Every structure is written in C-alpha cells, then in structure tokens.
C-alpha cells in the first residue's frame, strides 16, 4: 500500500485555482506591471545590455610612427633643424610616444668644480659652513668643503658636478618647437577577440599605400584614416596646442573597439576620441605639465668628455585601446528568457499584495472620514478597538485654542524656549527647541493631544473602564502618567517597552504644574 501511495504521488499533477477579478483598477495595474516587465526585458536586457550574447574583451597591440620637421635658432645651440630622431624620445614606447616642444639647454658641461646654486642649504659665509663629501638629493653634486663666490654678493658651497650647472627657471614662455603642431603620427593598431577567433586592424582592408600617403584623420570627411595631426588631436581634447606645448602634458588617444559580431565584419571598426590625462586644475598647479632630462655626450680634441644637457618639455601621447565584443549564444539567451518568465510569474502575487494593501488603505480612509476627527493616536494599545475610541473623541470635546504659557524668568543657559527649569541631572537638561523660539507647551496641539481633559478621561476609561474620575491624589497621579504617555506617543511614536525617551524639561514641568505630586 505504501508503495502504491508513493507511486500515486509521483504520478499526480496539480494546478492552482485562478480567481478572475472583474475590476478596471485592478486589471489596469495588472496590465501595467506586465507592460513594464516586458519593456524592461526587451528594452534594457535585450537592446541595451544585449544579454543574449556571450562577451569577450579585446587584446591589442599598438605601434606608432611620427613624422615632421622643425627649426629653432636659440643661444647655446644656434640654428638647428629638428627631425623625428631629435624630438621623438624615445623612438619607440609601449603604446605611447613623446614629442619635444620646449626645452632648457645647458651646453658644454664638463666634470669639474663650481659654486652650487644658491638656496637656504647651500649659502655659506666661510668654509666651515660646507661639509666635504656631503651631498643633497635635491642638489647638483658633491661638496668639496670650500665656500666660493657665486656672485658679487652671494657665496655658496663648491660642488663637484657637471659644470656649469643647469638653471631650470629660464623656461621660454612660448614653445621653441611650435611647428610640432603640424607633425603627424601614424597609429597602427591590431586587435583580437580570442573567444571568437576575430582579428582586425585599424588600417581597413580597402586602404592602400597611395591613400595612406595623402590622407589625414578628419571626423567628418575621413574618419577611418590612421594618420593624425597633433594639433587636431589636442583641439578635439578641447585644449590649445601652443599653451599645452609650453610646459608639456599627457594626451590620451582612446580607441574603442566595441563590436556586435552578430553583424557582418565590416561594421566592426575603431572609434577614436581624445582627452587630456594629466591634471590641469588651476587651484592645484604645483609641478604642472610633463618634462624630463636627457644629454648628448661629446669628446673634445683633448679627449675631455663634455655634454649638452637638455631639460625637455613636451606632450606624451598615450594610446589606450579598449572594447568588448558580443555574439549570440543559446545559453545566456535561455537564462535571460527564463528569468523574464519568472518575473512575469510574480505579477499575480504582486498584484494580490497591492490589492490587499489598497483595500486596507481604503478601509482606513473610510474609518477616518466616519469618525470626523483631526488627530489619530499612534499607540499599539488602542489599535485593537479604534472605533470605540473614536466615539469617545468627538470634535466637540476638543478645545481648539492656543495655550498661554509665560516664559520663566530664571531659565538655564541650555534652554532656548524660555520655559525650562534648571536641573543638576544631565539627562534632564533637554529643551524642546534647537534654536530660540516659541515653546512647544504653547502650541494648540499640546493642549488638544496632551492636556485635554476629555481626551485623558477617554484614554483612562479605555484602559480601565471602572476608573474613578473623582478628585484625589491617586487620580492626579494617573492623569499625570497618562499625560506623559500621550506626549511620548504624540512626539516619538510607540517606544520599546524596556526604555522610554527623555521628555523636554519645559513639557515635564508644565505637566507637573497641572497635575502636581505631593511627594517631594
């Protein structure tokens, strides 16, 4: 019998009972929720996120080739023609290249001794101020221990170094190699999506050598040309080339290879954008731009080594390649379709919950309209028989008037309403206000909800139907404690049973004045 019962359970099939609610409001909410879910699945999941596809991240290689010629005629170097071997330093970088635009040249340096540049640590009065063999990481050499003349008025410690020392404060205001704005760079970029065995270059298949010799990138007329003019790239980053070239900077060349491989291959191509990468905040202009030093070494006829030191300023271009590719796959499609059907299956429970909630709200509104009162007490002890309480709290029983409470002459410093009394207990030093103003005990709500005699009698009779309302010490204490509970329910809601919030001093003493205690 047990085996038959188990077999019967396995072969059973159950269905849910469906109740049709013929209500326009409920039906509209039901269809609206269905429409929003379908819109989310089609619009966001399928169109925006393309969650029916499997994704792969791009793997990329980049090589660059800069071309252009410039001319300068400056002291220390004379007339000089600059080609790519002079200004492209180093000639090959890792997805980046540097173009020299400005410089400070210190020619004919030799290994010898000379005065250190003056600052607080190198200015001296005698040889005793200099330490032989010492060096400063921010200095230019090793001290010899001698104090020598730097100028007619200043003496500094002598150092062994490449002399004469570089003075790097004499930076030209205009870039020396201003012609660099017309230099061009060829960017060769190859990308791979290994998951899809997809390979492509930014030099498209229909591009030939004759086209490369004459094309130049233009976002409107020639968006697929891989040759870029430096000035155009800086301009697209909303920068001025000559201003940026004075102290240098870092410019990002962003190549986006995001592709939808469900479409033919020729739809997948690079999208170029440009932005400045280094900090250009005018409020934080410490150490701006981009610079570094390099030297060119020579030997004289006397076999003495010399060098020309160049502090170079320029623009470093970083080529950043990114992107993801997607292609249809049955697994994520089934997963997302299943998730969509599951969400649609939750419409009925959600609709039922909304229907129940709206019914409760409607019932509460009908209850409030029936009783025709302005205030409802938020106390858990009263919610069980609220209609009985409503019958006791009629509008005619509540006196709508503003209480007249005179401020106390000797209120403490922490009192901002003028009605508190001094106290030595820190927990009792609490005022009803955070800024100077009218006391809460003067409000009409305080009189109606807290001190109203009909309300207090109704609450006490609700809690204890046989309570005697005659005058007496016991009745006064009961009224006083009831007032405390009314105030706490009004201002704080229903507190936890194990703790009560602290009431403001002005409210406490106002209640004690109306319902005094004979105990000292």
């Amino acid at each position: 019998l047990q085996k038959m019962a188990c077999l019967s359970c396995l072969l059973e099939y159950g269905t849910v009972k469906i109740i049709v609610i013929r209500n326009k409001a409920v039906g509209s909410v039901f269809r609206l929720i269905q429409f929003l879910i379908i819109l989310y699945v089609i619009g966001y999941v399928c169109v925006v996120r393309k969650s029916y596809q499997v994704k792969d991240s791009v793997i990329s290689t980049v090589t660059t080739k800069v071309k252009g010629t410039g001319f300068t005629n400056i002291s220390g170097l004379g007339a000089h023609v600059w080609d790519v071997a002079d200004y492209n330093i180093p000639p090959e970088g890792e997805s980046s290249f540097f173009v020299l635009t400005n410089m400070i040249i210190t020619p004919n340096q030799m290994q010898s001794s000379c005065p250190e540049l003056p600052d607080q640590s190198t200015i001296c009065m005698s040889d005793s101020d200099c330490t032989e063999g010492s060096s400063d990481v921010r200095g230019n050499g090793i001290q010899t221990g001698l104090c020598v003349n730097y100028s007619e008025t200043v003496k500094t410690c002598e150092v062994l170094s490449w002399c004469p020392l570089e003075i790097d404060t004499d930076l030209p205001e205009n870039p020396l190699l201003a012609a660099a704005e017309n230099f061009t760079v060829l960017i060769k970029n190859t990308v791979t999506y290994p998951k899809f065995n997809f390979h492509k270059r930014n030099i498209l298949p229909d591009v030939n050598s004759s086209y490369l010799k004459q094309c130049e990138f233009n976002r409107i007329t020639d968006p697929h040309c891989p040759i870029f003019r430096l000035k155009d790239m800086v301009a697209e980053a909303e920068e001025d080339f000559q201003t940026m070239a004075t102290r240098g900077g870092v410019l990002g060349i962003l190549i986006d290879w995001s592709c939808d491989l469900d479409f033919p291959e020729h739809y997948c191509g690079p999208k170029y954008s440009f932005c400045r990468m280094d900090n250009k905040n005018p409020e934080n202009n410490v150490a701006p731009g981009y610079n570094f030093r390099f030297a060119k070494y020579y030997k004289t006829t006397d076999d003495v080594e010399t060098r020309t030191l160049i502090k170079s300023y320029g623009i470093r271009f970083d080529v950043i390649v990114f992107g993801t590719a997607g292609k249809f796959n049955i697994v994520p499609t089934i997963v997302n379709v299943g998730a969509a059907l599951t969400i649609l299956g939750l419409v009925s429970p959600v609709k039922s919950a909304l229907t129940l909630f709206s019914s409760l709200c409607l019932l509460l509104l009908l209850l409030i309209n029936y009783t025709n009162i302005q205030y409802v007490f938020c106390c858990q002890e009263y919610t069980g028989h609220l209609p009985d309480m409503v019958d006791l709290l009629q509008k005619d029983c509540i006196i709508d008037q503003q209480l007249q409470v005179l401020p106390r002459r000797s209120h403490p410093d922490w009192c901002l309403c003028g009605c508190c009394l001094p106290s030595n207990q820190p927990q009792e030093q609490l005022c009803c206000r955070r800024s100077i103003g009218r006391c809460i005990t003067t409000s009409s709500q305080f009189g109606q909800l807290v001190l109203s005699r009909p309300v207090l009698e109704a609450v006490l009779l609700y809690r204890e139907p046989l309570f005697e309302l005659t005058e007496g010490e016991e009745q006064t204490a009961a009224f006083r404690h009831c007032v405390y509970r009314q105030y706490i329910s009004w201002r704080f809601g229903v507190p936890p049973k194990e703790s009560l919030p602290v009431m403001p001093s002005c409210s406490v003493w106002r209640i004690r004045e109306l319902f005094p205690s004979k105990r000292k």
Side-chain angles (χ1 to χ4, degrees):
L1 292 176
Q2 292 181 350
K3 291 182 178 180
M4 294 296 294
C6 293
L7 183 61
S8 176
C9 293
L10 291 175
L11 298 177
E12 286 180 353
Y13 173 74
T15 60
V16 296
K17 182 182 291 185
I18 298 177
I19 300 176
V20 178
I21 302 175
R22 301 187 182 278
N23 184 281
K24 293 182 179 180
V26 176
S28 300
V29 172
F30 177 68
R31 297 305 178 191
L32 177 61
I33 296 175
Q34 282 186 328
F35 173 75
L36 292 177
I37 292 175
I38 294 173
L39 184 64
Y40 165 77
V41 172
I42 297 177
Y44 182 73
V45 176
C46 295
V47 177
V48 178
R49 294 294 303 273
K50 297 183 179 179
S51 298
Y52 58 87
Q53 294 181 332
V54 62
K55 306 289 185 180
D56 193 14
S57 299
V58 69
I59 298 176
S60 167
T61 60
V62 175
T63 58
T64 60
K65 184 182 294 185
V66 184
K67 287 187 177 182
T69 304
F71 176 80
T72 60
N73 191 359
I74 56 178
S75 60
L77 193 62
H80 190 85
V81 176
W82 297 79
D83 62 12
V84 64
D86 296 319
Y87 60 74
N88 187 204
I89 310 163
E92 192 66 39
E94 184 178 353
S95 297
S96 67
F97 61 95
F98 174 82
V99 176
L100 176 69
T101 56
N102 208 359
M103 68 201 84
I104 298 174
I105 298 177
T106 308
N108 302 322
Q109 284 188 321
M110 294 187 299
Q111 291 277 346
S112 60
S113 60
C114 53
E116 177 64 281
L117 299 179
D119 60 27
Q120 293 182 352
S121 62
T122 60
I123 295 177
C124 61
M125 300 298 294
S126 64
D127 293 347
S128 60
D129 297 329
C130 304
T131 304
E132 183 178 1
S134 68
S135 63
D136 186 356
V137 293
R138 294 180 177 82
N140 293 285
I142 308 297
Q143 292 188 10
T144 63
L146 299 178
C147 182
V148 296
N149 291 328
Y150 178 80
S151 64
E152 295 180 356
T153 58
V154 178
K155 284 187 174 185
T156 60
C157 294
E158 185 182 58
V159 292
L160 291 173
S161 183
W162 286 94
C163 299
L165 300 179
E166 176 193 61
I167 302 176
D168 62 354
T169 57
D170 299 333
L171 179 66
E173 295 183 359
N174 298 316
L176 296 177
L177 207 58
E181 66 180 12
N182 294 314
F183 295 169
T184 61
V185 57
L186 168 63
I187 299 177
K188 294 186 288 184
N189 177 214
T190 303
V191 297
T192 301
Y193 287 108
K195 186 176 291 187
F196 309 120
N197 194 25
F198 179 86
H199 310 273
K200 197 167 185 179
R201 302 174 66 200
N202 67 326
I203 302 177
L204 302 181
D206 57 345
V207 172
N208 52 39
S209 299
S210 60
Y211 171 77
L212 281 181
K213 291 180 180 179
Q214 60 183 1
C215 80
E216 190 173 290
F217 176 84
N218 184 286
R219 193 168 295 281
I220 299 175
T221 61
D222 209 347
H224 300 298
C225 178
I227 298 177
F228 303 83
R229 192 163 70 113
L230 303 190
K231 181 180 180 180
D232 294 339
M233 291 192 292
V234 175
E236 287 220 13
E238 299 182 352
E239 298 287 343
D240 179 68
F241 186 90
Q242 299 298 327
T243 302
M244 189 175 181
T246 301
R247 288 191 170 273
V250 181
L251 190 82
I253 304 173
L254 311 180
I255 307 179
D256 183 7
W257 279 94
S258 297
C259 297
D260 187 348
L261 298 183
D262 291 330
F263 292 92
E265 181 180 331
H266 67 269
Y267 285 104
C268 181
K271 303 177 185 64
Y272 301 98
S273 59
F274 311 90
C275 67
R276 184 163 183 174
M277 308 291 287
D278 61 316
N279 182 30
K280 202 190 105 177
N281 186 357
E283 298 179 358
N284 183 14
N285 59 355
V286 179
Y290 181 77
N291 65 81
F292 60 90
R293 292 176 175 86
F294 70 96
K296 296 183 177 181
Y297 294 87
Y298 313 93
K299 278 195 175 183
T300 65
T301 55
D302 300 331
D303 202 28
V304 176
E305 187 179 33
T306 64
R307 75 176 187 182
T308 297
L309 179 65
I310 300 176
K311 183 176 183 180
S312 58
Y313 294 80
I315 303 176
R316 193 185 77 191
F317 295 85
D318 292 343
V319 184
I320 303 171
V321 182
F322 63 96
T324 57
K327 197 171 186 178
F328 174 80
N329 188 277
I330 190 62
V331 174
T333 303
I334 293 176
V335 170
N336 285 279
V337 170
L341 294 176
T342 303
I343 296 175
L344 283 173
L346 295 176
V347 174
S348 294
V350 172
K351 180 200 65 175
S352 301
L354 290 176
T355 304
L356 178 60
F357 178 74
S358 60
S359 301
L360 293 176
C361 292
L362 181 61
L363 179 62
L364 181 60
L365 289 174
L366 292 174
L367 180 62
I368 293 176
N369 291 332
Y370 168 74
T371 56
N372 193 24
I373 61 172
Q374 295 178 345
Y375 304 96
V376 177
F377 296 95
C378 300
C379 182
Q380 292 178 346
E381 295 179 351
Y382 306 150
T383 55
H385 305 284
L386 186 58
D388 299 335
M389 284 297 303
V390 168
D391 292 337
L392 293 173
L393 302 179
Q394 296 298 322
K395 184 176 181 181
D396 297 337
C397 298
I398 299 177
I399 302 175
D400 189 7
Q401 63 181 3
Q402 182 173 322
L403 299 181
Q404 298 295 327
V405 180
L406 297 177
R408 306 180 190 275
R409 295 182 178 178
S410 58
H411 60 272
D413 296 336
W414 47 265
C415 176
L416 300 175
C417 66
C419 296
C420 300
L421 287 178
S423 175
N424 294 328
Q425 300 296 327
Q427 66 271 21
E428 296 180 0
Q429 298 177 3
L430 177 66
C431 184
C432 66
R433 296 193 62 91
R434 295 183 179 180
S435 59
I436 297 176
R438 207 179 86 185
C439 183
I440 194 172
T441 60
T442 64
S443 66
S444 60
Q445 290 87 351
F446 186 82
Q448 293 171 354
L449 300 178
V450 179
L451 299 181
S452 174
R453 186 82 180 196
V455 172
L456 296 177
E457 290 178 355
V459 172
L460 287 174
L461 289 176
Y462 174 80
R463 296 172 60 86
E464 181 56 57
L466 301 179
F467 181 76
E468 296 289 339
L469 296 177
T470 57
E471 298 294 333
E473 181 179 352
E474 181 180 352
Q475 286 75 14
T476 302
F479 274 105
R480 184 171 61 254
H481 294 147
C482 183
V483 173
Y484 289 152
R485 288 194 296 269
Q486 288 296 104
Y487 182 89
I488 292 173
S489 298
W490 172 43
R491 299 302 297 158
F492 304 105
V494 180
K497 294 183 178 181
E498 62 272 9
S499 63
L500 290 176
V502 178
M503 294 175 55
S505 173
C506 51
S507 302
V508 172
W509 286 106
R510 176 63 177 159
I511 295 170
R512 290 179 181 177
E513 287 174 354
L514 295 178
F515 303 99
S517 174
K518 293 185 178 181
R519 293 183 299 174
K520 302 297 182 180

